[in-house]
């Protein structure tokens, strides 16, 4: 089959052997890859999306509970100002709702709930404020190599250190002994402050999607139909004056342009010929994926809303430490979302589902009662064990390096273009950033195709 693609001057042909020819090959069917493909299709460009996993969505993934509710094991919150994400949800017919949240979460250490005016909470707030202010100015040069963990060790008070440790881990998914103070304050600056990162209402955890945020990537992929090929891990990318050849675990694809949307540490698994320029190789070598475990416990009803405190938002200071949110959809069964990050997320891998269930929900018994131990359903995922995503929420810079600061670079290398949430100018690391980068790269590729066609 041969034909000229409208508006691009680029010829499309399909061979009968195992080489498929397209105009643009997109590596990765996460939010950024699907948005890029959708935008290019809208301009009449022939696109193929190659996805290594057996499902599209990448770091977004919705499941259905035994009670019929939809829940997210990957990205879910629509943060304040995440207007692209909110518009996409509305466009795809999904329902946005504000997360139910108390004035402040309960800080719980075993059976104890720390009063908001306790020395621990006040001291932690003072450190958070100091970081917030510090992030407004360039960090001292020595902070590039100084880890958050080293810095925290100087904070007086075991419980204050623990509280800060859990908050920073759950917010970034970094191993704090592998995350520099400079990278952290850069991230804070990029995201418009710590308050914005940590807050529910008015911050990054403001709204949810009743059908599950993962439904959006499912719908985008369904609309693209056969243009999304799953089970196709791209193993090598060769480019020359005539275009790009991508070898996958199943076949070969020839394209005029390729868009790589996989985060830099995962992109390092692809063999590039000719080799990538040093700045991209460094970026791959100097970044790693965060470690995060996420679980959703599903109950017939959000029973905690009838209790004295009427909420179930907690920061757990026990072991493992983590955060708990009430993500119950409107009129639906009760959903408790549990997040554990960094090294403590990986520690959970050595126990079984029942052990993780006990270790996490067990910490809530003194605060919500024994009913919390008997959910109707339990969904969980350790993202750092996902061989395709590699981890989450996002790629992080290793201490002593600055290549992986946000936004990560995306200048094209010949016919290779780069996207993915890490490259976004705004809200990098979030779904909003993934959408922004997908739209940006589609415009970039269109411009370059039109330039070639002239
Ligand atoms: C547990 C968790 C909670 C999160 N919570 C939130 C939240 O509440 N709100 C929010 O905004 N964001 C959240 N995020 C972040 C958000 O999910 C991501 O920013 C976003 O989904 C990233 O999209 P992406 O397209 O850039 O990358 P990905 O989704 O990672 O897409 C890249 C794709 O490339 C594929 N791939 C990798 N290697 C290859 C290869 N060699 N060949 C072919 N395909 C390949 C991967 O399988 C993947 O599908 C969360 C993430 C996680 C993991």
């Amino acid at each position: 089959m041969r034909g000229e693609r409208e508006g691009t001057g680029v010829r499309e042909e399909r061979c009968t052997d195992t080489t498929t020819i397209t105009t643009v090959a997109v590596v990765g069917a996460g939010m950024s890859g699907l948005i890029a493909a959708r935008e290019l299709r809208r301009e009449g460009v022939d696109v193929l999306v190659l996805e290594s996993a057996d499902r599209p969505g990448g770091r977004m993934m919705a499941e259905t509970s035994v009670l019929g509710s939809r829940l997210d094991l990957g990205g879910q919150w629509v943060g304040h100002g995440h207007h692209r994400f909110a518009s996409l949800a509305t466009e795809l017919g999904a329902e946005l709702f504000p997360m139910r949240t108390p004035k402040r979460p309960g800080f719980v250490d075993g059976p104890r709930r720390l009063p908001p005016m306790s020395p621990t909470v006040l001291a932690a707030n003072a450190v958070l404020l100091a970081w917030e202010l510090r992030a407004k100015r360039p960090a001292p040069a020595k902070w590039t190599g100084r880890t958050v963990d080293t810095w925290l060790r100087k904070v007086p008070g075991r419980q204050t250190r623990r509280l800060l440790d859990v908050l920073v881990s759950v917010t970034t998914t970094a191993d704090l002994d592998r995350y520099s103070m400079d990278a952290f304050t850069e991230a804070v600056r990029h995201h418009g402050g710590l308050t914005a990162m940590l807050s529910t209402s008015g911050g990054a955890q403001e709204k949810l999607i009743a059908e599950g945020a993962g439904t959006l990537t499912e719908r985008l992929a369904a609309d693209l139909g056969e243009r999304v090929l799953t089970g196709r891990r791209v193993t090598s990318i060769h480019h020359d004056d005539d275009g790009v050849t991508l070898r996958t675990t199943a076949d070969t694809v020839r394209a005029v342009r390729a868009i790589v949307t996989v985060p830099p540490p995962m992109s390092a698994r692809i063999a590039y010929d000719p080799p990538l320029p040093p700045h991209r190789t460094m970026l791959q070598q100097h970044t790693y994926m965060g470690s995060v475990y996420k679980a959703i416990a599903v109950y017939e009803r959000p029973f905690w809303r009838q209790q004295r405190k009427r909420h179930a938002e907690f920061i757990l200071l026990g072991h493992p430490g983590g955060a708990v949110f009430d993500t119950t959809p409107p009129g639906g069964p009760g959903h408790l979302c549990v997040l554990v990050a960094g090294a403590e997320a990986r520690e959970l891998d050595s126990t079984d589902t029942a052990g993780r269930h006990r270790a996490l929900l067990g910490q809530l018994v003194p605060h919500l009662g024994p009913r919390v131990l008997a959910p109707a359903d339990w969904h969980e995922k350790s993202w750092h064990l996902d061989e395709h995503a590699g981890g989450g929420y996002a790629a992080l810079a290793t201490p002593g390096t600055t290549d992986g600061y946000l936004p990560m670079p995306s200048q094209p290398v010949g016919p290779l273009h780069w996207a993915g949430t890490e490259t976004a100018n705004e809200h990098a690391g979030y779904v909003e950033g993934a959408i922004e980068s997908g739209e940006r790269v589609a415009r970039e590729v269109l411009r370059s195709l039109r330039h070639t066609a002239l």
Side-chain angles (χ1 to χ4, degrees):
M1 185 177 94
R2 281 173 189 276
E4 188 169 306
R5 282 282 139 195
E6 205 182 306
T8 65
V10 175
R11 300 192 72 76
E12 175 206 47
E13 62 187 283
R14 221 160 268 280
C15 299
T16 46
D17 63 13
T18 53
T19 300
T20 307
I21 298 188
T22 186
T23 306
V24 180
V26 179
V27 185
M31 181 58 96
S32 59
L34 293 170
I35 289 289
R38 176 172 97 144
E39 296 303 303
L40 289 166
R41 280 302 304 144
R42 284 177 168 174
E43 295 296 324
V45 178
D46 189 48
V47 185
L48 265 189
V49 185
L50 306 168
E51 167 56 50
S52 63
D54 60 4
R55 60 166 189 94
R59 284 173 267 174
M60 299 182 74
M61 180 179 175
E63 291 189 345
T64 305
S65 77
V66 293
L67 300 178
S69 55
R70 295 281 283 168
L71 52 91
D72 281 300
L73 286 174
Q76 63 176 1
W77 281 288
V78 183
H80 188 76
H82 293 193
H83 59 95
R84 293 179 184 85
F85 191 5
S87 304
L88 183 68
T90 309
E91 182 196 326
L92 297 179
E95 182 191 350
L96 284 160
F97 67 96
M99 187 177 69
R100 188 162 165 134
T101 183
K103 243 187 180 157
R104 58 180 78 82
F107 297 108
V108 300
D109 194 357
R112 280 194 61 213
R113 190 188 283 238
L114 309 185
M117 291 297 159
S118 67
T120 296
V121 176
L122 290 176
N125 280 339
V127 174
L128 293 174
L129 181 64
W131 281 341
E132 180 95 290
L133 295 174
R134 201 67 191 75
K136 293 188 196 294
R137 292 178 282 140
K142 60 184 179 196
W143 276 19
T144 314
R146 178 171 299 175
T147 65
V148 176
D149 182 60
T150 314
W151 199 96
L152 275 182
R153 270 190 251 143
K154 295 209 172 116
V155 173
R158 182 203 62 82
Q159 219 171 30
T160 305
R161 281 195 299 278
R162 179 66 178 150
L163 178 46
L164 292 165
D165 171 287
V166 173
L167 281 178
V168 182
S169 298
V170 171
T171 309
T172 62
T173 67
D175 280 22
L176 302 191
D177 57 355
R178 246 188 116 196
Y179 193 46
S180 73
M181 280 303 292
D182 197 32
F184 176 51
T185 46
E186 277 286 327
V188 171
R189 197 172 10 253
H190 175 86
H191 293 303
L194 251 185
T195 312
M197 289 167 84
L198 294 172
S199 299
T200 45
S201 144
Q205 285 74 236
E206 189 168 75
K207 288 190 182 141
L208 291 159
I209 295 173
E211 294 82 356
T215 301
L216 306 191
T217 40
E218 288 171 10
R219 289 186 187 164
L220 289 170
D223 288 348
L224 287 162
E226 290 175 355
R227 291 171 193 282
V228 179
L229 302 175
T230 55
R232 302 286 206 291
R233 182 163 70 82
V234 173
T235 53
S236 72
I237 301 181
H238 166 82
H239 71 92
D240 53 35
D241 292 344
D242 296 329
V244 190
T245 304
L246 302 98
R247 288 197 197 289
T248 84
T249 36
D251 50 14
T252 301
V253 174
R254 268 300 282 171
V256 181
R257 298 282 185 278
I259 298 174
V260 181
T261 72
V262 307
M266 304 309 284
S267 154
R269 299 182 185 185
I270 300 172
Y272 293 88
D273 171 34
L276 291 176
H279 80 274
R280 284 226 66 98
T281 317
M282 296 294 224
L283 178 66
Q284 293 180 164
Q285 287 169 355
H286 293 164
T287 49
Y288 67 101
M289 296 305 289
S291 296
V292 61
Y293 165 89
K294 181 170 178 181
I296 311 286
V298 184
Y299 303 85
E300 295 286 344
R301 283 192 318 281
F303 62 87
W304 50 88
R305 292 184 182 176
Q306 265 69 56
Q307 296 177 342
R308 194 168 63 85
K309 295 275 184 185
R310 292 180 180 272
H311 78 82
E313 194 169 308
F314 299 104
I315 300 297
L316 307 177
L317 305 187
H319 203 88
V324 180
F325 299 92
D326 175 355
T327 55
T328 302
H335 284 191
L336 279 188
C337 163
V338 185
L339 286 164
V340 180
E344 287 175 45
R346 295 194 301 277
E347 277 173 33
L348 287 172
D349 302 337
S350 58
T351 180
D352 57 7
T353 299
R356 288 189 286 271
H357 186 282
R358 249 192 332 272
L360 291 162
L361 296 183
Q363 293 188 59
L364 297 176
V365 173
H367 312 284
L368 296 180
R371 280 167 81 179
V372 77
L373 286 177
D377 204 359
W378 174 259
H379 293 243
E380 59 176 359
K381 184 165 172 68
S382 299
W383 283 88
H384 44 278
L385 297 181
D386 183 311
E387 60 172 309
H388 310 285
Y393 316 123
L396 300 154
T398 52
T401 69
T402 57
D403 315 77
Y405 286 5
L406 299 176
M408 296 189 193
S410 61
Q411 301 94 316
V413 175
L416 307 185
H417 296 255
W418 310 91
T421 186
E422 286 81 2
T423 68
N425 282 319
E426 270 188 351
H427 305 295
Y430 292 103
V431 174
E432 177 73 9
I435 300 173
E436 186 211 286
S437 78
E439 291 175 350
R440 185 263 308 150
V441 81
R443 286 194 301 274
E444 191 179 284
V445 167
L446 271 175
R447 264 198 311 275
S448 91
L449 286 174
R450 288 188 177 132
H451 188 257
T452 312
L454 288 178

